[in-house]
Amino acid sequence: MPLMSVENLEITYMALGGRIKAVDGISFSLEQGEWMTVVGESGSGKSTLAYAIMRLVPPPGKITGGKIVFDGMNLLELDKEKLRKIRGKEIAMVFQDPMTSLDPLRRVGDQAAELFVEHEGLDMEEAKKRAEEAMRSVRLPQHVLNSYPHQLSGGQRQRVMIAMAMSLRPKLLIADEPTTALDVLVQEGIMELLNSMKEEGTSILLITHDLSLAANWSDRIMVMYAGRLAELGNTEDLVERPLHPYTKGLLDSVPDLWSDKEVKPIEGNPPDMRYPPPGCRFHPRCPMAMEICSKKEPPILSIDKRIVSCWLMAKEGGKA
Amino acid sequence: MELSSSLFGKLLKRTRTAIPTGAMFNVGITIILAVLLMAVFAPLISPYDPTRATPDILKPPSSSHLMGTNQIGQDILSRVIYGSRIILMVVLSATIISMAVGIPLGIYSGFIGGRADRTLSMVMDSIYAFPSLILAIAIASVLGPSPLNTAISLAVVYIPTYYRMTRGQTLSLREQLFVEAARSMGAGKLYIMRKHILPNLLPTVLVVFTLSAADAIITEAGLSYLGLSVTPPTPDWGYDLRAGQGYFTTGYWWISFFPGLMITLLALGFALVGEAMGEKISIASK
Amino acid sequence: MGSLARYLVIRALAIIPTILILYTLVFIILRILPGDPILAVLGTKNIPPDQLENLRRMAGLDKPLYIQYFSYLFNFLRGDFGVTITFPSGVPISTYIAQRFPATLELAICGFIVSIVIGLGTGALAAVKKGTKIDGALKLYSILAYVTFIPLLGMVLQYIFGVYLKWLPIAQRIDPGLAPSSVTGLYVLDSLLTANWAALRSSVLHLILPSITLGIVLSGAYTRLLRNNMVEVLSSDFIRSYYSRGIRERKINWYALKNAFLPVVTYMGLQFAILLGGMVLTESTFSWPGMGTFIVERLDYRDYTSIQAAIIFFAFIVGLISLIVDAVYALLDPRIRY
Ligand SMILES: Nc1ncnc2c1ncn2[C@@H]1O[C@H](COP(=O)(O)OP(=O)(O)OP(=O)(O)O)[C@@H](O)[C@H]1O
Ligand SMILES: [Mg+2]
């Protein structure tokens, strides 16, 4: 049984200008100890998906359909207290901006120690010791615990966030663009930390814009477009033999260090999510669009170990 | 002629964007209009002469005296109706003076900048930080008690409010593109200030006007409560409330209660309108 | 530590111009505007010329303006506020202020505490219940509180709790003859220090109604401000991050409150000025023997020098308060402290 399976998830923002289905019928599953990366352009619904798993979709957003089964429980049916006990302990999350993810008025040590008080019922002294350990595990000096967030660099703060996320050995870690705000050297270090967690059995769900980052670290990659799943597959297969024109487009838009192939960004922009185009949402930008693409939604096909949602594949005899 | 009519049209359009709908606004505007009508038609609607003393003293509210009578037999309802005149006149004329001084200074300060701006800001901020009622007492105490002097002291007290708001708005408007464009076409500074900045300030001025009017009503009532505005037998809410205070705790509550209620009600009217307009503007600017 | 001390020194230096501007402003209003302040204040009464001269000398008005400006300031800083010029004339104003200011301070502190407690409580509640009926009702409360005329509310409370229920005294600071021996001039503190329980009881009872009156009226602004800050804080990244770590909601709300409270502190300086204005009305309503009633009394006697001294005294107080507010802010916000 997979650690988590998401079925037909649908998340809607009831915004002033109309409803936005930010996540529209996404299904996938995640094995224990597996690293899956979600890629997609800005606005494709990646963060919304992550918040839904944490049950932290911000208002005016609502989960309007589907299931998230984690460790045998449907997360969408849990009450507040059960959820609280899962958050941080079973599922942890690291956010994009480390500069704003810590409470500016409290010492880092107090914020870290609190975790052990809340989840393991330790007293403050023991909790502090555990916090020290946690900082050591991400190679942060001990004085960090006595610092206020503004006294640390962005990289240090993100390490603090990861230390907290790691410290209770969660079964799943969600990292929403954890390194976008940091420079490249720091980024490598953070990825290595995630990898070490994976090696200890934690599943990783990484969200990023950066396809090369995804290709370097993950077992599987999921490509999202405008709230829908475009393609999902093993990293190697997907990078070397993309099935969806959008995946191809993304790969072509990444510069490659080893070959001097031309870098071609995908033309056009993602759709306005209030008025998504009919049929396949990618068809207005798709170089291989056919007549049917603008009329009917493409089926979700399983081909070998891959999932792809494209009429081209349907024509080639994939089975829905 | 044409210029003034187009400017007027522009002002009208800008004003309309600040007029909200909704219960808060409706209740507020109803209160304001009711008091305004009361003031205008006071001689027609008040049942008695508000200044005439009669032997009917300390009568509780009844059908012949809806709000009762005071310790010298004056009809409270009539005094409440006439009392609206002074407070409205004082507050409105004070506000007009504050605007006439504060807004141009604020535009100038925000648009020109430099040392003059810094000095002016500092002075205005200092006045702003000073308790307005105490400042008004200081001014009223040297000018002597009269409604005119109360208006003058209120005007001084509220200049910084308009100045600060206008200056802040001008600073941000100045950076906006259309001013840049106008400047590059060789428009003079005065022209830009009058033609581009002033009309854009209007919605905010309206909000600040209503909110500070609510404040000014309370301050005016405070001054006349302390005996710094009218002299008897002129009907005035603040003064009448004071005059009946000694009787209140012995059970003759109506002498002070109705004038006091009117003060709060009128201020509430302005505050509700101001709040509603402020919300509308902040939503529109999002 | 170094940076905190430096911050406070810089703030203290920045307060000086404010105080000077206010002093100058009051000086201009009182000395220059009316021409001859003594005549203006005394009105149209006929006064023999020699007596008028005498009054001018007592008020320090016989010297050139610029000398008056500086000598008054220096005397003021030394604690010499001049003498009264009308009945009872010749009394040092400093003796009045020494008597009256502690009364004002005591009531101001209590009113301030009441306003903060109500304001923070209602503001936090409104933020947590954002968009519900409770939020709407509290919004109406904040507007109503803001426009309530202090004497009206005071009188209604006096009638209910003093006259009808007979629970609380409605005037003065303390029952006659009970005043504790003076240490600080704050009766509650003094009766604690001298272990005078009768005085403590009486002074606390006397404080309740005026503090609540003042506190309610001032709380409206805090309700609004705190609600809006807290709504913003509650949607911020670090709060979401707290939730993602499974911290109890009550704790999270408390941390949000602390963060939402900080901007409120900066606003307190201004709010305290409003409080001092409200003090005058509250003191008048409750016959509270403080600075406000002092000004009103001396206005009746047309005692120009006393009014001048009291108002300039307020200017200094306003400056001092903004310094205290800055210090409190620095103590609460580690970004300034370190
Ligand atoms: N609070 C909100 N109210 C209304 N719409 C929202 C809100 N938050 C997100 N959306 C919409 O939901 C869609 C998905 O947003 P989301 O933040 O999940 O995208 P993302 O893939 O994480 O983008 P990015 O890469 O920029 O982080 C977007 O179209 C966005 O406009
Ligand atoms: Mg995102």
Side-chain angles (χ1 to χ4, degrees):
Chain A
M1 200 176 75
L3 174 68
M4 176 174 73
S5 66
V6 173
E7 289 164 37
N8 241 324
L9 190 65
E10 197 183 290
I11 302 157
T12 315
Y13 287 103
M14 322 279 179
L16 276 177
R19 293 159 161 251
I20 296 176
K21 259 194 199 168
V23 169
D24 190 359
I26 296 264
S27 304
F28 66 93
S29 59
L30 188 64
E31 299 297 329
Q32 191 184 340
E34 184 190 26
W35 179 325
M36 184 160 105
T37 302
V38 183
V39 296
E41 281 164 299
S42 192
S44 55
K46 308 182 296 292
S47 299
T48 306
L49 172 65
Y51 295 148
I53 298 169
M54 294 303 286
R55 289 287 311 277
L56 285 175
V57 177
K62 275 213 173 76
I63 300 175
T64 41
K67 252 189 188 174
I68 302 175
V69 179
F70 175 85
D71 217 8
M73 309 166 277
N74 184 356
L75 291 181
L76 305 187
E77 284 167 358
L78 296 186
D79 62 30
K80 262 190 182 175
E81 186 55 20
K82 286 221 180 77
L83 273 174
R84 186 185 75 72
K85 285 188 174 140
I86 288 177
R87 290 180 190 144
K89 187 159 173 61
E90 312 263 318
I91 310 176
M93 182 160 175
V94 177
F95 295 90
Q96 174 172 357
D97 191 355
M99 301 314 262
T100 55
S101 291
L102 286 161
D103 187 338
L105 301 186
R106 299 179 65 218
R107 286 177 203 272
V108 169
D110 295 338
Q111 298 186 50
E114 189 172 36
L115 206 59
F116 304 103
V117 176
E118 293 282 270
H119 288 290
E120 304 202 325
L122 302 186
D123 62 30
M124 208 49 195
E125 203 176 323
E126 284 172 89
K128 280 263 161 74
K129 277 201 198 105
R130 293 287 297 278
E132 275 171 32
E133 246 170 67
M135 295 304 137
R136 220 173 296 133
S137 71
V138 296
R139 291 186 300 282
L140 277 172
Q142 293 303 308
H143 72 79
V144 161
L145 288 170
N146 284 320
S147 307
Y148 285 95
H150 74 276
Q151 294 169 301
L152 306 180
S153 71
Q156 284 175 318
R157 289 190 219 184
Q158 199 60 298
R159 274 172 192 272
V160 169
M161 297 309 296
I162 291 174
M164 289 198 277
M166 285 169 69
S167 58
L168 293 171
R169 309 197 167 274
K171 297 188 177 124
L172 169 62
L173 177 87
I174 304 171
D176 187 359
E177 311 198 31
T179 56
T180 318
L182 307 173
D183 63 51
V184 183
L185 272 176
V186 181
Q187 173 173 317
E188 279 302 294
I190 302 270
M191 286 300 134
E192 264 156 30
L193 281 175
L194 297 188
N195 203 45
S196 70
M197 283 183 76
K198 180 194 144 176
E199 274 160 12
E200 286 175 30
T202 298
S203 308
I204 308 281
L205 189 69
L206 173 73
I207 288 169
T208 180
H209 285 115
D210 184 347
L211 201 56
S212 56
L213 199 68
N216 283 338
W217 294 95
S218 39
D219 303 323
R220 282 199 299 162
I221 293 179
M222 175 164 111
V223 181
M224 278 180 76
Y225 185 79
R228 297 226 173 117
L229 191 152
E231 183 167 5
L232 190 161
N234 286 332
T235 303
E236 233 170 282
D237 298 347
L238 189 131
V239 171
E240 274 162 20
R241 212 166 50 84
L243 296 180
H244 198 291
Y246 179 58
T247 315
K248 230 172 267 162
L250 280 182
L251 286 164
D252 286 342
S253 65
V254 190
D256 190 333
L257 275 182
W258 289 276
S259 74
D260 43 24
K261 68 158 198 200
E262 220 182 317
V263 175
K264 274 192 307 196
I266 310 175
E267 271 173 43
N269 290 309
D272 179 342
M273 292 292 282
R274 279 169 303 177
Y275 316 104
C280 170
R281 291 187 178 173
F282 186 59
H283 85 262
R285 299 168 74 188
C286 183
M288 341 247 294
M290 304 172 292
E291 215 188 308
I292 189 166
C293 297
S294 61
K295 302 234 165 73
K296 269 183 81 175
E297 227 174 273
I300 295 174
L301 308 163
S302 291
I303 303 172
D304 303 330
K305 281 188 206 154
R306 300 169 77 164
I307 298 173
V308 64
S309 172
C310 176
W311 280 115
L312 283 172
M313 294 303 120
K315 291 275 152 74
E316 278 168 27
K319 53 184 192 309
Chain B
M1 194 59 224
E2 198 202 296
L3 185 132
S4 74
S5 74
S6 77
L7 188 68
F8 183 72
K10 222 188 220 167
L11 285 179
L12 207 66
K13 211 171 109 205
R14 296 241 156 73
T15 315
R16 216 174 297 136
T17 62
I19 302 280
T21 49
M24 226 164 66
F25 182 80
N26 292 342
V27 172
I29 202 82
T30 309
I31 295 174
I32 297 174
L33 287 178
V35 175
L36 213 59
L37 288 176
M38 209 162 91
V40 172
F41 296 108
L44 295 178
I45 54 177
S46 66
Y48 299 92
D49 176 353
T51 56
R52 223 191 70 194
T54 66
D56 276 343
I57 61 166
L58 298 174
K59 289 274 178 295
S62 66
S63 56
S64 54
H65 297 280
L66 286 177
M67 294 182 178
T69 64
N70 64 14
Q71 62 272 34
I72 54 171
Q74 293 163 331
D75 176 52
I76 310 269
L77 176 61
S78 306
R79 289 189 69 81
V80 161
I81 291 172
Y82 270 92
S84 61
R85 290 187 150 187
I86 292 204
I87 196 165
L88 279 177
M89 288 234 297
V90 167
V91 166
L92 293 181
S93 50
T95 303
I96 289 169
I97 303 173
S98 306
M99 283 197 208
V101 179
I103 293 175
L105 280 182
I107 295 181
Y108 174 83
S109 218
F111 198 77
I112 306 293
R115 185 176 292 169
D117 171 43
R118 258 173 282 142
T119 315
L120 210 51
S121 293
M122 206 155 154
V123 173
M124 291 291 183
D125 285 350
S126 304
I127 302 177
Y128 190 74
F130 198 71
S132 52
L133 185 65
I134 295 175
L135 188 60
I137 290 175
I139 300 169
S141 72
V142 289
L143 296 180
S146 83
L148 176 67
N149 292 341
T150 307
I152 294 174
S153 37
L154 285 183
V156 174
V157 165
Y158 289 99
I159 287 172
T161 308
Y162 289 98
Y163 169 85
R164 284 162 54 105
M165 175 275 296
T166 316
R167 177 176 174 274
Q169 289 267 305
T170 306
L171 275 178
S172 62
L173 281 173
R174 194 176 67 165
E175 303 311 322
Q176 284 173 18
L177 269 176
F178 69 95
V179 178
E180 289 300 321
R183 193 183 298 161
S184 65
M185 273 156 56
K189 282 180 178 164
L190 256 178
Y191 178 81
I192 298 173
M193 285 192 243
R194 204 185 61 227
K195 191 84 179 163
H196 293 289
I197 293 188
L198 193 57
N200 276 302
L201 287 175
L202 209 82
T204 327
V205 167
L206 269 176
V207 174
V208 173
F209 160 71
T210 41
L211 291 178
S212 76
D215 213 76
I217 285 162
I218 299 289
T219 311
E220 195 277 347
L223 282 175
S224 66
Y225 173 81
L226 297 175
L228 285 168
S229 180
V230 301
T231 41
T234 318
D236 177 81
W237 295 345
Y239 187 86
D240 284 6
L241 182 140
R242 176 63 176 206
Q245 191 176 330
Y247 293 87
F248 195 97
T249 45
T250 49
Y252 305 104
W253 55 272
W254 55 90
I255 308 178
S256 290
F257 182 74
F258 292 111
L261 191 67
M262 289 309 294
I263 295 165
T264 297
L265 207 58
L266 183 57
L268 178 68
F270 279 101
L272 287 175
V273 170
E275 284 297 329
M277 287 200 303
E279 260 167 35
K280 172 104 186 241
I281 286 180
S282 76
I283 288 172
S285 68
K286 254 179 206 162
Chain C
M1 180 54 217
S3 70
L4 176 63
R6 204 170 54 230
Y7 170 81
L8 287 180
V9 170
I10 291 171
R11 298 306 303 169
L13 291 176
I15 300 298
I16 293 174
T18 304
I19 294 182
L20 278 182
I21 288 170
L22 282 176
Y23 170 71
T24 311
L25 185 80
V26 174
F27 190 85
I28 290 173
I29 290 170
L30 292 177
R31 293 283 168 98
I32 298 170
L33 279 189
D36 187 324
I38 295 289
L39 274 184
V41 168
L42 291 182
T44 52
K45 282 179 203 151
N46 281 327
I47 304 158
D50 57 327
Q51 202 185 329
L52 197 63
E53 241 359 87
N54 193 25
L55 284 177
R56 284 223 175 86
R57 212 176 53 252
M58 279 172 77
L61 295 174
D62 51 343
K63 303 187 197 83
L65 262 182
Y66 72 96
I67 292 187
Q68 288 180 33
Y69 179 86
F70 288 109
S71 67
Y72 194 90
L73 182 61
F74 283 118
N75 287 338
F76 200 92
L77 290 174
R78 288 200 339 246
D80 172 7
F81 304 155
V83 295
T84 56
I85 55 168
T86 56
F87 178 81
S89 81
V91 181
I93 296 165
S94 55
T95 56
Y96 281 108
I97 290 185
Q99 225 176 50
R100 298 299 194 97
F101 180 62
T104 292
L105 186 64
E106 189 163 41
L107 178 51
I109 291 172
C110 292
F112 178 73
I113 292 172
V114 172
S115 71
I116 285 288
V117 169
I118 300 180
L120 296 196
T122 50
L125 183 64
V128 172
K129 304 271 176 197
K130 181 188 157 203
T132 64
K133 282 204 179 104
I134 296 180
D135 185 22
L138 288 174
K139 180 175 177 185
L140 193 63
Y141 164 80
S142 75
I143 298 176
L144 257 174
Y146 186 77
V147 298
T148 296
F149 191 48
I150 288 178
L152 177 71
L153 178 62
M155 280 164 34
V156 170
L157 293 180
Q158 281 174 334
Y159 187 74
I160 297 174
F161 295 101
V163 180
Y164 187 73
L165 296 171
K166 296 197 173 57
W167 287 352
L168 294 165
I170 59 172
Q172 299 296 330
R173 289 178 79 184
I174 200 158
D175 289 323
L178 276 185
S181 43
S182 178
V183 186
T184 59
L186 307 176
Y187 282 179
V188 173
L189 202 58
D190 285 353
S191 38
L192 278 174
L193 289 174
T194 56
N196 185 344
W197 310 126
L200 180 67
R201 192 187 126 83
S202 175
S203 55
V204 167
L205 288 180
H206 278 81
L207 268 167
I208 292 176
L209 285 184
S211 310
I212 288 178
T213 305
L214 198 55
I216 286 178
V217 172
L218 293 166
S219 68
Y222 288 125
T223 306
R224 277 312 272 296
L225 196 62
L226 191 85
R227 178 208 174 267
N228 293 344
N229 288 339
M230 189 143 159
V231 164
E232 209 178 303
V233 170
L234 279 175
S235 70
S236 66
D237 285 359
F238 74 87
I239 292 293
R240 195 171 53 201
S241 163
Y242 271 132
Y243 274 106
S244 80
R245 274 178 272 143
I247 308 299
R248 255 163 261 260
E249 193 159 27
R250 278 184 44 200
K251 279 193 179 178
I252 298 178
N253 285 338
W254 171 245
Y255 301 141
L257 181 63
K258 273 168 70 177
N259 276 276
F261 180 64
L262 258 195
V264 176
V265 173
T266 36
Y267 179 76
M268 277 179 190
L270 274 184
Q271 184 72 4
F272 221 90
I274 299 172
L275 179 133
L276 289 178
M279 281 296 293
V280 180
L281 295 175
T282 314
E283 288 183 4
S284 284
T285 309
F286 288 91
S287 312
W288 191 265
M291 292 293 290
T293 40
F294 176 64
I295 293 180
V296 176
E297 279 164 33
R298 297 322 287 171
L299 271 172
D300 276 349
Y301 284 107
R302 302 185 159 272
D303 182 10
Y304 164 75
T305 49
S306 295
I307 295 164
Q308 166 176 268
I311 285 168
I312 291 176
F313 187 78
F314 272 120
F316 277 83
I317 295 295
V318 167
L320 196 65
I321 287 167
S322 66
L323 189 61
I324 294 173
V325 166
D326 283 340
V328 170
Y329 189 90
L331 284 176
L332 289 178
D333 189 348
R335 283 162 292 193
I336 292 177
R337 221 175 333 139
Y338 293 96

